[in-house]
Amino acid sequence: MRYSDLKAQTESLTAGRHLIYDLAPDAVFIDNAGRRHPHLPAQNIYQLVVQWNRRETKPRNSDLFTDLLLKTKARPELRHSLLEACEQICIGADPAQVFENRSFPQQFREGGDADWALPMTMYRTAGLPTLLFLCVVQGLILVTDYNDRTVNAPEIFRHAFNRLAAGDSVLEVTKKLAPQTPIEKRYYDLSKRK
């Protein structure tokens, strides 16, 4: 679904885990953890939960960009198209429609006998299945938007994908997305950001 529809659907979630994408057997959930500590802001804290390959993970921004890097190394000819698809999702497009219009493969690399010894499934398959990856992009934008309503999360992620397209490293892009503590502060107060 489009980002605006997803945001309207998840605007008033109760505490707990809620399904946002069912891609059987995979799924994407948003977890409303509520308020964790009295010193944190009064707003709820949200996390994205991805169920893939009978496992659950809570991806971070660096996981998303590492997955993108695995995909572009496995199929360099699809790099530009994949980055454009991520930018379309940042603008508000539906991940399922983007996946169909771009006609991406289900997996960017099929595991074979040559890479059976690789330690992780992520390296064997070049990351998450493509449609699940695109849904995770939209889900991380949504979670970032809910956790810090003062920033424009879709624009921040669009800028990050543009920087990756320009050749910046995943580490540089991830550091720019992390909340920065102002120099004059010796602590980080989540309720007040500059």
Side-chain angles (χ1 to χ4, degrees):
M1 69 183 78
R2 296 186 60 79
Y3 181 74
S4 57
D5 299 335
L6 180 63
K7 191 168 182 180
Q9 178 183 340
T10 59
E11 193 68 43
S12 58
L13 292 177
T14 59
R17 186 174 288 183
H18 305 277
L19 179 70
I20 56 174
Y21 281 109
D22 184 12
L23 309 168
D26 306 325
V28 179
F29 301 92
I30 188 167
D31 187 16
N32 181 354
R35 186 174 176 200
R36 295 236 173 152
H37 193 273
H39 297 297
L40 290 175
Q43 70 188 28
N44 291 332
I45 297 172
Y46 295 89
Q47 285 186 322
L48 192 71
V49 180
V50 177
Q51 181 181 331
W52 174 62
N53 204 13
R54 297 184 303 271
R55 287 181 290 198
E56 286 188 358
T57 61
K58 294 180 180 179
R60 300 166 300 200
N61 297 336
S62 59
D63 298 330
L64 173 76
F65 297 130
T66 302
D67 194 304
L68 178 71
L69 185 65
L70 287 171
K71 287 179 179 1
T72 57
K73 285 193 177 200
R75 301 282 297 271
E77 71 277 4
L78 294 176
R79 178 181 189 273
H80 186 65
S81 182
L82 185 61
L83 286 168
E84 282 180 352
C86 291
E87 187 174 358
Q88 284 181 341
I89 291 171
C90 291
I91 293 171
D94 179 10
Q97 286 182 345
V98 170
F99 177 73
E100 290 174 13
N101 293 343
R102 298 276 175 169
S103 61
F104 288 126
Q106 285 293 331
Q107 295 284 348
F108 267 59
R109 182 187 322 162
E110 297 296 329
D113 293 336
D115 55 352
W116 67 271
L118 290 176
M120 294 175 52
T121 307
M122 296 292 277
Y123 290 106
R124 279 187 239 153
T125 61
L128 298 171
T130 311
L131 180 58
L132 183 61
F133 169 77
L134 295 174
C135 293
V136 167
V137 170
Q138 190 182 54
L140 277 175
I141 293 170
L142 181 73
V143 166
T144 303
D145 200 9
Y146 282 158
N147 285 334
D148 189 0
R149 297 187 188 254
T150 61
V151 299
N152 184 355
E155 185 61 27
I156 288 173
F157 274 88
R158 190 182 73 75
H159 183 66
F161 285 117
N162 285 337
R163 289 188 60 205
L164 284 172
D168 286 357
S169 72
V170 171
L171 180 63
E172 291 171 3
V173 172
T174 305
K175 281 169 63 174
K176 289 287 185 183
L177 281 176
Q180 302 295 316
T181 304
I183 294 172
E184 68 271 5
K185 287 190 173 184
R186 294 183 184 258
Y187 65 93
Y188 186 66
D189 186 1
L190 286 176
S191 64
K192 298 175 186 174
R193 290 191 178 181
K194 286 188 177 184

